Amino acid sequence: GKSATDRHTTASNMACLTAAAVACGHSRVSPGTRGRPIDHGRRAARIVRAAGSEDMNAPPFVVPRDCFQDKTYPPELKAAKQLKLLVTMVAVRVVLAQEEGFGNECHDDPSYTELHDDLTTFLSQNPLGKLWDGEWLEKLIRHPKLNCRLAAVRIIEVRDVYLSKEFDWGQYKSEAFDDMDECYKRLMSEHMERSMLG
């Protein structure tokens, strides 16, 4: 069998490749991969064992609890927080767009509503992302100006509808999987080619 040194080297190489594949998850997905069904069986065959573990029933690896500086754990909770922020941003932009278009159908020069101006002013003073989205909405809905409070109600309603009825969960998942899948195959192919050339 392999020596302990060989096993450690193999595990280290696989860990590096896995990290690289995850890092490449931020790259653009080519249009040709969008909407392609995910082959879960093929993906499930890729198993990265923790270094030194030969127990095939053991978890593939352990996710450290200190992955993120804000101590968020597990990573799924971090993803959920980012998704909530994203959906809130979308809702804010929807409300602003509605106010930009209100009464402007027959005019070349758009005139913005007072609500649009008040919400834009609030945004410039309280950038979304600096505060947790819940705190940001609480601050907006407690604002002394009625327009800001009305905007907060609309934003809450829009993001609820968007997340529950409009957000494409299938595309969300396939975009992430397809992108990492393409990156995995490309990096592994390049790695194998370099290894064979010595």
Side-chain angles (χ1 to χ4, degrees):
K2 291 184 178 180
S3 67
T5 301
D6 289 338
R7 286 198 301 271
H8 177 73
T9 301
T10 301
S12 297
N13 288 339
M14 289 303 295
C16 290
L17 285 167
T18 303
V22 171
C24 285
H26 298 287
S27 63
R28 186 195 297 265
V29 181
S30 62
T33 62
R34 293 179 183 178
R36 188 178 66 200
I38 302 168
D39 186 347
H40 294 286
R42 173 170 50 83
R43 191 179 306 281
R46 299 173 185 166
I47 299 177
V48 182
R49 291 286 164 199
S53 174
E54 296 183 359
D55 181 4
M56 295 305 294
N57 294 319
F61 42 73
V62 176
V63 178
R65 298 189 69 87
D66 58 353
C67 278
F68 308 107
Q69 289 184 346
D70 62 2
K71 307 301 182 186
T72 301
Y73 189 87
E76 289 81 359
L77 178 57
K78 183 76 169 180
K81 287 183 177 181
Q82 295 302 314
L83 181 60
K84 284 195 296 181
L85 176 60
L86 171 68
V87 172
T88 303
M89 289 178 172
V90 169
V92 169
R93 190 63 191 91
V94 166
V95 171
L96 286 174
Q98 289 171 343
E99 294 301 308
E100 287 169 7
F102 184 76
N104 295 324
E105 294 83 357
C106 302
H107 300 278
D108 294 329
D109 240 353
S111 57
Y112 301 121
T113 65
E114 187 177 343
L115 188 148
H116 178 282
D117 292 341
D118 288 343
L119 180 54
T120 302
T121 300
F122 180 84
L123 268 171
S124 66
Q125 296 170 350
N126 305 273
L128 186 53
K130 294 270 185 169
L131 291 174
W132 172 59
D133 63 295
E135 294 174 327
W136 187 87
L137 281 168
E138 285 176 9
K139 193 170 184 179
L140 182 61
I141 207 167
R142 293 171 182 168
H143 198 280
K145 282 198 170 186
L146 175 61
N147 279 329
C148 287
R149 299 196 298 273
L150 292 174
V153 171
R154 285 172 61 184
I155 290 167
I156 292 169
E157 291 174 342
V158 168
R159 74 173 191 168
D160 179 68
V161 171
Y162 180 69
L163 189 61
S164 62
K165 297 182 179 179
E166 299 297 323
F167 189 82
D168 191 334
W169 293 98
Q171 182 180 7
Y172 169 72
K173 190 173 182 179
S174 74
E175 290 279 1
F177 273 106
D178 284 344
D179 197 27
M180 287 192 288
D181 186 52
E182 185 278 331
C183 188
Y184 176 94
K185 289 186 290 188
R186 176 171 53 80
L187 289 177
M188 289 296 286
S189 177
E190 291 174 2
H191 173 68
M192 292 300 293
E193 288 177 7
R194 284 195 299 268
S195 298
M196 291 176 71
L197 290 173

